[in-house]
Structure formats: C-alpha cells, structure tokens
Amino acid sequence: MKKWMGWILALCMFFAACAALADGGYGYGFIDRSGNVVIEPQFDWASNFSEDYACVFRGTLSKYDQPEDGKYGFIDRSGNLVINFLYDKATRFSGGVAAVKKNGKFGLIDKSGETVVDFKYDNIEISYDNFMAFTGIVNEYGFTELGTYTILKPDGTEIFSLSDISKLYCFGSYYQAKRDDRYALFGLDGTQLTDFKWESFTATSDDILGFELNNLYGYIDIHGNEVIPAQFDKISAFEGDHAIVKKDGKYSLIDRSGNIIFDYSADWVNTSLCDGYTHGFDGVLDDYGRPSDGYYYLIGPDGKRISESYQNAYSIHTKYKLWSAQKDSKWYVLNMQGDVVLGPLDCDTLDHCAEQYILKKDKKESLFASDGTQITDYIYDDISITYDPLICVRVKQTIPDFRQTSWGMSESDVRALEGNSPDYTGTLSGNGAKYIGYDAELMGNDVIVAFYFGPDGLYSTRYIWEEEHSNENLFISDYNSVKEQLTAKYGDPLIDKENWDTTSHEKYYEDDKGDALSYGFLTYATFYLTDRSFISMTMSADNYDISFFIDYESRDIDAPKADYSNVL
C-alpha cells in the first residue's frame, strides 16, 4: 500500500508540473446596456436574444466552449424558461419559429413549443427569412455531405428542393449550391441561374460575385456571365461600383468593368470597403502576404493616407463608420476623417457592441459607453457582440472540489455551507491541523464527512464509512457502488487494485471475499486524479473491524508540516 501511495504521489507531482489547473466551467447570463444584471449567469451556454427568446443549454461543452452533450431550451427576457430543455440542437427564433433536433431528427417549433414542421430532417439551418432543411448524410461534425435540400418558409411551406447537393449557401438574393465539387447559382424561387461548372465563389454581393479559375480570380453576374476575366491574385466584394483587387503584388481600386481607378501605395490593403474608405499597411509581410512588422493607417476614397500610423488595427465598422487602431499599447477610435474620437484606452483588445464598446484587459472584459465611460468592471470572461438591449455575458464559475466546498476555504466558509454546528471538532496531533466533521449520508449509507484546515485553508476532506452490515460482502458492494459513481464523474481510475496478502488466501476465499476482508487477508485501493484533487478510496480491516475511507486532497494546497520539536 505504501509503495503504491509513493508512486501515486510522484505521479501527482508530474501532472502538477505539466498540466494547468482548471477552476471549473462557465455560467452564461445577461446584462442590460447600463451593466445591470438582468438574468444571473446560470446556464452552461446561451445565445443572444432573437425575437424576445434566447436559446440556452444545460450540459457539457467542448474544448472550444461550444455545446457538446446536453439539452437546449429557450428563455424569455425575464429569464423564465418558456420552452423546456428537451432538444439536442437548436437555432435562434426567426419568423416566429426555431429549428430544433429531437430523437435524431430536426423540425420547426413555434414559441409555445408546438411542432410546426415534423421532425423528419437530418439538419435545418436559418436562411435569411426562410430555413434550409436537409435530408441525407451528415458527418460526425454536423456538416452536410450529400443529400436533398428543401427551402421552407417559417410556416413550413416548401419553396423548392435540390437533390444530390453537398453544400448550399444563401447570399440574400441567390443561393450557391455544390454538386460533384462544382458550384451553381439558383434564384430564391429555385430557378437555376448557372450550370454546375464553377470551382468556387467568393467576394459576394447582391448582383456580382467573384469566381476562381486556375488560382486566379475574376467576377461574374448572378446569371453566370463573365463580367471581369480571372486575372487577380486577390479580390474584394463590390461596394457599389468599386472593389479592391491585388495583382502582381499591387493593390488597386477597380470599377465594374475592371478598369483601374487608381493604385494604392500601401504594401498591404484591407480588402473591405466602407464608403470607399479602408486601411493599409506599410512594412514587412509574412510568407502568406499578411502584415508582420510595420504600421497601419486609414485610407480615404481617393486612395490617400488620412491618419497617423498605428501598430495594430481592425477593419472599419461599416455601420458606425469608425476605425479602431492601437499605438503604444493603447487603443483609439477614429472617424472617417482620421480624427481620434475616443482614446487612448488602456486595454488589450477593443470591439464594438452597437454604439458601445467591449474592452478586454488581462483576459477579462468590460462594457464601455460611447464616450469612453466604463459601465462594468472587468469581471466577464466574454461579452457578446449584439445590437439587442440585453447582452449575453459569460462568467467563470468555480466547480466545488468536494460537496459544496472548494480548496482554500476557511473553516467559517465551510461551516456556512455544511452547518454552523459540526458534530465533531478538534486538532490533529503532529501537524496541528484543525478539523470539523458532520454525521451525514452518502448514497443511503451512514458516513462522517470530515474537513481539514491548514494555514492556507481547506486542504483535505474525507468520508468515513459508518454503515454497519451483518454480511461483510455488502461492504464490498458499497465500495463498488461508490467506485462506479466516482468513475462516472472523474473517468477511469489511475489505479484500481484488489490486494491479497497471499496467493493461497486468494484461492481459498475466492467465493467469500467478505470474510477475507474482515480477516485482513484482502484490501482494496482505488485512486483518481483531477486537475485540482487527488482522490483515494481504500478499504481494509483490523481485528474484524472494516474501515472504508474516501479521501480528497488538494493538489495545490499542502497539508501543514508536522512539528515534532517537543517530542523526545
């Protein structure tokens, strides 16, 4: 037993050096534009509000903090659960309905939870004012591979269907469909506008879009007529009558006939236009042609520089016509004349949230007013970008390490959670750690639950089995039941041993392990390791008295050192 404990403790030291400690999961809630908490963070995931309902999720998240295993439901603006957690997937509400998945199939429901379209599709996505329903092959990541797309109105009316399609995208005034690795365009009523002959489409706008041919780009109209031949290395979507293109290392502004209006002097140009404005970069580019070492500046509709130099920058916010840029670790917001309207702001990143701003500093986010006034403290792990009056926020939550408690808590903190009048109190001999204990139940069995405190707070806890059995085999059943629960929660144990003192005893008591346990011939030991805790479960006997302990120890907080200075 001591040999195993030494090995496990060495393994704990290795993991502590190699693995980051995790505090727990996230809680999603909502604040208003004044920073007031309207719905307390309580969900494992949540979307922003759409048509007065927000989609919420209970379950586990992937390593990318996206819903993975659990159920979706919907809440109203007061946080009331108006549609229960019944669905495996869900979209936001659009046109009074939402797409949801149940028992492996998708359908549409209304705001009362009533079914509008039967659960018969393999996938459904929102498509502007309509829905794209798919029947066919969906891969393990949820992406469609081959099947039939049916365009549905919110009331379930079918507009048109396309078969043998692997991908379908809607761009407002037309659809892009992929079949046999080639794309074609379709009108909103399903009318086929082009043949399936295009390698890919890019830089889309309402009536003209980019296409790729032999690694070069050009433009066609939505009927497939070539407007500008493929000749460019990079292109942007047309904004009105103009687009930005790159050819032979030079950026230019062109018209709808492909005529060059002027060349940009910058080494790199952002290919997003906002009323003719964009931003450029002068300096060293990396192997992919992206800015590496240099400075950014705002460029006007005439292609000329109109701002100072900045070390970092975002694309222009097209709705509010503002540009965010960074210099000397401070962020600034500029108008289209190149004037600073806000800043300097001491933060790591800056995002627009309607007319307000989200600032991030030291991995925490805060909401700021349009004039730079701070609305919330830096307490949120994520603030969603939305135009809605309610903003979805994410807060890191601490998952308890043991029952309701967490490592490092004070004795008073634990008493507040477990009860102010413990049944047992005292001090351990040797290291002087204080302890408190309570009579309790675990899985229907009598136990004592004990808490141990050092100078840095709670560092260890223990379940002491007090349940009595006339049949010793029932202790083994208890042990296995607890092990099953711990394995379900923490995963497979690092070590799980049934230990016999001799092989002869193992053979003789093979069918009577309860007696072997009580005689001291058989012991049990199971060990688990989490990011924050080392968990050991042991059972043995001394003079026919069976002892069963479940110990939790912090991996971060050490037990007090024993003091034997006064011992002769």
Side-chain angles (χ1 to χ4, degrees):
M1 182 72 171
K2 291 181 179 179
K3 179 180 179 181
W4 296 339
M5 286 299 296
W7 184 86
I8 287 294
L9 291 174
L11 187 63
C12 286
M13 293 174 64
F14 171 79
F15 275 104
C18 298
L21 297 180
D23 299 42
Y26 290 102
Y28 287 74
F30 293 84
I31 61 174
D32 62 20
R33 292 282 168 180
S34 298
N36 302 307
V37 176
V38 178
I39 301 172
E40 290 286 346
Q42 59 189 280
F43 305 104
D44 296 315
W45 180 89
S47 71
N48 283 310
F49 276 90
S50 176
E51 299 184 359
D52 292 328
Y53 278 17
C55 182
V56 291
F57 174 81
R58 292 277 194 210
T60 58
L61 304 182
S62 71
K63 61 181 179 180
Y64 306 108
D65 292 328
Q66 293 300 307
E68 187 171 55
D69 185 16
K71 296 294 182 182
Y72 292 81
F74 293 88
I75 59 171
D76 62 18
R77 291 186 177 274
S78 297
N80 300 311
L81 187 65
V82 290
I83 297 178
N84 212 341
F85 293 99
L86 301 172
Y87 305 106
D88 302 316
K89 297 285 184 183
T91 69
R92 61 179 172 84
F93 270 88
S94 176
V97 298
V100 293
K101 183 181 182 182
K102 185 171 65 174
N103 298 327
K105 294 293 182 180
F106 280 84
L108 297 181
I109 60 171
D110 62 20
K111 290 187 174 182
S112 64
E114 296 297 321
T115 301
V116 176
V117 172
D118 290 337
F119 290 82
K120 60 181 180 180
Y121 295 102
D122 296 307
N123 192 51
I124 300 182
E125 300 175 30
I126 296 174
S127 172
Y128 285 82
D129 296 331
N130 297 314
F131 290 83
M132 296 189 300
F134 176 82
T135 304
I137 302 172
V138 178
N139 65 25
E140 60 181 312
Y141 304 106
F143 298 115
T144 59
E145 293 192 345
L146 185 65
T148 298
Y149 275 93
T150 302
I151 307 303
L152 303 174
K153 291 183 178 180
D155 63 4
T157 302
E158 294 187 7
I159 301 175
F160 69 91
S161 293
L162 296 175
S163 59
D164 298 323
I165 301 297
S166 57
K167 302 293 179 187
L168 186 68
Y169 309 96
C170 183
F171 288 91
S173 60
Y174 54 87
Y175 287 92
Q176 295 181 17
K178 185 178 183 181
R179 177 187 292 162
D180 298 330
D181 292 326
R182 287 292 183 268
Y183 285 90
L185 299 180
F186 289 80
L188 296 181
D189 61 356
T191 302
Q192 187 165 350
L193 304 176
T194 72
D195 294 331
F196 283 92
K197 67 176 186 177
W198 306 98
E199 294 179 15
S200 68
F201 293 119
T202 185
T204 56
S205 58
D206 284 343
D207 60 346
I208 186 172
L209 64 161
F211 71 94
E212 181 182 2
L213 179 65
N214 299 324
N215 296 320
L216 293 175
Y217 297 91
Y219 293 91
I220 61 171
D221 64 23
I222 61 173
H223 297 285
N225 302 310
E226 187 177 274
V227 177
I228 302 173
Q231 56 184 296
F232 305 111
D233 301 312
K234 189 176 182 180
I235 61 176
S236 77
F238 269 87
E239 185 204 47
D241 294 329
H242 302 118
I244 297 175
V245 298
K246 180 183 179 183
K247 184 177 181 181
D248 300 328
K250 183 182 294 184
Y251 290 87
S252 305
L253 189 74
I254 64 171
D255 62 20
R256 284 177 173 259
S257 298
N259 300 314
I260 295 177
I261 300 173
F262 58 76
D263 294 325
Y264 291 95
S265 62
D267 296 323
W268 174 92
V269 176
N270 183 286
T271 53
S272 296
L273 285 167
C274 176
D275 289 351
Y277 293 86
T278 186
H279 72 272
F281 172 88
D282 283 341
V284 179
L285 304 180
D286 64 17
D287 294 339
Y288 301 97
R290 299 172 302 195
S292 177
D293 185 16
Y295 56 90
Y296 297 84
Y297 49 87
L298 195 62
I299 299 175
D302 59 358
K304 297 185 184 208
R305 173 175 174 167
I306 58 173
S307 77
E308 298 180 5
S309 298
Y310 293 88
Q311 296 156 339
N312 195 8
Y314 294 148
S315 296
I316 296 170
H317 194 289
T318 55
K319 181 176 177 63
Y320 296 105
K321 298 177 176 54
L322 295 170
W323 184 56
S324 303
Q326 185 186 39
K327 180 168 60 176
D328 298 329
S329 300
K330 307 292 185 183
W331 279 92
Y332 301 81
V333 179
L334 290 76
N335 60 23
M336 292 298 94
Q337 287 72 50
D339 302 321
V340 174
V341 296
L342 185 63
L345 297 169
D346 183 18
C347 59
D348 300 322
T349 62
L350 179 150
D351 285 306
H352 294 267
C353 184
E355 295 182 356
Q356 296 172 315
Y357 299 95
I358 301 169
L359 273 61
K360 189 170 188 176
K361 185 177 181 180
D362 298 329
K363 298 183 179 180
K364 293 291 184 179
E365 296 189 350
S366 172
L367 187 67
F368 278 69
S370 58
D371 62 358
T373 302
Q374 187 171 358
I375 298 174
T376 71
D377 293 331
Y378 284 95
I379 57 175
Y380 296 108
D381 293 278
D382 184 70
I383 301 176
S384 296
I385 298 173
T386 180
Y387 292 104
D388 194 87
L390 294 186
I391 306 170
C392 183
V393 294
R394 182 181 68 170
V395 182
K396 188 78 170 178
Q397 292 182 321
T398 299
I399 295 177
D401 296 300
F402 179 79
R403 293 167 67 90
Q404 304 176 73
T405 65
S406 300
W407 301 130
M409 278 187 171
S410 66
E411 182 180 337
S412 60
D413 290 336
V414 174
R415 284 174 177 256
L417 292 170
E418 295 287 339
N420 286 318
S421 301
D423 299 295
Y424 310 92
T425 61
T427 302
L428 295 179
S429 60
N431 68 5
K434 293 183 177 180
Y435 68 82
I436 59 175
Y438 301 84
D439 291 322
E441 281 194 1
L442 180 65
M443 299 172 59
N445 297 279
D446 292 333
V447 297
I448 295 173
V449 54
F451 302 84
Y452 302 88
F453 304 90
D456 297 319
L458 182 67
Y459 71 89
S460 180
T461 59
R462 165 178 273 194
Y463 281 117
I464 304 169
W465 216 255
E466 291 289 288
E467 188 73 18
E468 297 182 358
H469 296 300
S470 58
N471 183 348
E472 285 80 3
N473 286 307
L474 294 178
F475 286 100
I476 300 175
S477 297
D478 292 345
Y479 188 96
N480 290 330
S481 296
V482 174
K483 182 171 67 175
E484 181 180 350
Q485 292 296 318
L486 291 179
T487 300
K489 184 173 183 178
Y490 301 116
D492 292 335
L494 288 176
I495 286 181
D496 183 25
K497 289 291 185 179
E498 181 182 84
N499 313 299
W500 292 89
D501 62 344
T502 65
T503 55
S504 59
H505 282 154
E506 180 179 7
K507 184 176 180 179
Y508 185 83
Y509 290 98
E510 181 179 2
D511 297 325
D512 197 1
K513 294 181 179 180
D515 282 347
L517 173 66
S518 67
Y519 297 153
F521 302 153
L522 173 63
T523 61
Y524 290 87
T526 306
F527 304 110
Y528 299 86
L529 192 67
T530 74
D531 288 332
R532 292 173 54 86
S533 305
F534 172 62
I535 303 165
S536 62
M537 186 168 67
T538 58
M539 189 160 65
S540 60
D542 181 25
N543 195 27
Y544 308 105
D545 185 16
I546 296 175
S547 299
F548 179 15
F549 303 109
I550 308 165
D551 290 286
Y552 289 67
E553 297 179 21
S554 170
R555 292 179 58 186
D556 196 36
I557 301 176
D558 295 328
K561 292 183 179 180
D563 182 6
Y564 299 109
S565 59
N566 296 323
V567 179
L568 295 177

